[in-house]
Amino acid sequence: NKSADRDEDAKELKLLDVRFLDTPGYAVELSRLAAVKMVRLARAACAQSVELLTDYQEEKAMDVERLEELVDHYEDALGSYLVELSRRDQSERDSRTISMLLHCIGDFERISDHAVNLMESAKELHQKRLGFSPKAEQELRVFSGALLEILERSADVFEREDLEGAVHIEPLEELM
């Protein structure tokens, strides 16, 4: 249910209440949880856009756009909140986390932008009744599978704050 999803996302962003800025540690954790939701939305947009390349459906294309708009909304709200939070006194660790989150949310937003670009390419292929050769479809499955695996692992590593796991992602990216 898309309206229930929107309500949940709105509720999630409402947790970024200015009153929590006076307790920076808590505000940082709320921000981190919102960023986790953001990366999951960006990954979902990317996964759907990849599917559209071989099986275009207008409803899924509209869903990719909806997810991208939601990610944009997260970036705006979370970015503003983090900037305000960075102006407050906080621990060295919280300061580093705020800086990292500000960097990451820009990356997450770019992922959702790429998802829209893929969706638009899929739409053009569909409208022009173009397709891929069997060999190209096979290659597309391999590359898209690798892409989605990297995104999923990255999201998991980000969510768990797993620095050791992060080290194993870059070689996958290089291979790609």
Side-chain angles (χ1 to χ4, degrees):
N1 182 340
K2 289 179 180 144
S3 70
D5 289 345
R6 267 184 247 127
D7 291 345
E8 180 187 324
D9 293 320
K11 190 167 66 176
E12 183 111 19
L13 287 173
K14 281 183 185 169
L15 289 175
L16 301 177
D17 192 302
V18 293
R19 291 174 290 189
F20 295 133
L21 293 171
D22 292 330
T23 53
Y26 185 65
V28 166
E29 182 57 17
L30 290 175
S31 299
R32 193 187 71 76
L33 293 173
V36 166
K37 177 70 174 185
M38 186 181 174
V39 73
R40 294 287 176 196
L41 292 167
R43 190 227 176 261
C46 209
Q48 285 216 0
S49 65
V50 166
E51 287 177 19
L52 291 170
L53 288 170
T54 54
D55 181 24
Y56 186 82
Q57 296 173 29
E58 189 61 33
E59 187 175 316
K60 280 188 176 183
M62 290 174 18
D63 200 37
V64 169
E65 287 181 332
R66 182 189 68 80
L67 288 166
E68 194 275 335
E69 288 171 9
L70 204 48
V71 169
D72 282 352
H73 184 62
Y74 265 79
E75 183 188 33
D76 290 344
L78 187 52
S80 296
Y81 193 77
L82 288 166
V83 167
E84 186 58 38
L85 183 56
S86 71
R87 295 184 180 131
R88 308 289 175 109
D89 285 337
Q90 77 272 131
S91 70
E92 179 71 30
R93 181 173 192 255
D94 285 345
S95 179
R96 280 194 310 270
T97 301
I98 291 166
S99 179
M100 179 270 302
L101 288 172
L102 281 166
H103 177 79
C104 287
I105 64 174
D107 290 341
F108 301 158
E109 195 277 330
R110 270 192 300 287
I111 290 169
S112 70
D113 286 345
H114 290 310
V116 168
N117 292 340
L118 279 173
M119 178 274 296
E120 289 170 347
S121 294
K123 186 175 194 169
E124 183 177 351
L125 287 169
H126 176 73
Q127 289 172 339
K128 293 181 177 179
R129 300 190 193 295
L130 298 172
F132 296 100
S133 69
K135 181 166 176 43
E137 269 194 39
Q138 174 61 27
E139 289 175 359
L140 182 61
R141 274 194 296 279
V142 169
F143 283 121
S144 60
L147 168 69
L148 296 176
E149 177 70 19
I150 289 168
L151 284 173
E152 185 60 31
R153 284 187 183 191
S154 297
D156 286 343
V157 161
F158 179 77
E159 185 172 356
R160 291 190 325 268
E161 300 180 73
D162 178 8
L163 294 177
E164 187 176 313
V167 172
H168 300 292
I169 293 172
E170 192 162 346
L172 295 173
E173 184 183 347
E174 292 299 317
L175 183 63
M176 180 86 166

